[in-house]
Amino acid sequence: MKLRVGDTVIVIAGSEKGKTGKILKINHKTNRIIVEDVNKVTKHVKPSQTDPDGGIITVEAGIDVSNLAYYDSKLKRGVKLGYRFEDGKKVRFNKKTGVTIKEQKR
């Protein structure tokens, strides 16, 4: 999977098509990604000691990685990513423009 936490992605299929957001969490086992402010669902929370009121909350649900593409802010569209070696390091690059994508510090 070429997408990383912190990348900006665009939804390319489904009911949320066209929305963009940052990746918050990746589940590699199920190939699902949680994107900020995309695929929001309502969840009923039972009262507990940590949340004595309970109630209905909205949270981001996972979206399949095949429905996402890396968002290039200069091109204003989704692009494919590839790998190549630069100075002995494996780096990601934009296949459309050939520009290397800088890795973000966690």
Side-chain angles (χ1 to χ4, degrees):
M1 187 180 309
K2 295 180 176 96
L3 298 174
R4 302 280 179 257
V5 173
D7 285 349
T8 304
V9 292
I10 186 167
V11 181
I12 58 174
S15 61
E16 304 280 323
K17 184 176 180 177
K19 290 188 179 180
T20 60
K22 282 193 182 264
I23 295 179
L24 300 176
K25 190 175 180 183
I26 298 175
N27 187 340
H28 291 282
K29 284 188 178 180
T30 60
N31 279 336
R32 293 184 82 75
I33 295 178
I34 295 177
V35 182
E36 187 177 37
D37 294 329
V38 175
N39 199 21
K40 290 206 155 222
V41 295
T42 57
K43 187 173 182 179
H44 296 261
V45 179
K46 189 175 181 180
S48 64
Q49 285 185 343
T50 56
D51 186 17
D53 294 334
I56 301 171
I57 60 170
T58 58
V59 293
E60 291 100 355
I63 188 166
D64 198 84
V65 69
S66 65
N67 297 332
L68 298 173
Y70 185 83
Y71 183 72
D72 189 343
S73 56
K74 290 180 183 172
L75 294 176
K76 302 274 193 258
R77 54 176 286 198
V79 294
K80 291 183 179 182
L81 299 180
Y83 286 120
R84 68 178 168 208
F85 288 95
E86 290 180 1
D87 302 324
K89 285 191 168 186
K90 188 177 180 183
V91 294
R92 297 182 302 160
F93 74 99
N94 182 337
K95 284 188 171 182
K96 196 73 160 174
T97 61
V99 176
T100 301
I101 296 168
K102 293 183 175 68
E103 293 298 320
Q104 299 161 347
K105 303 289 184 212
R106 288 187 182 182

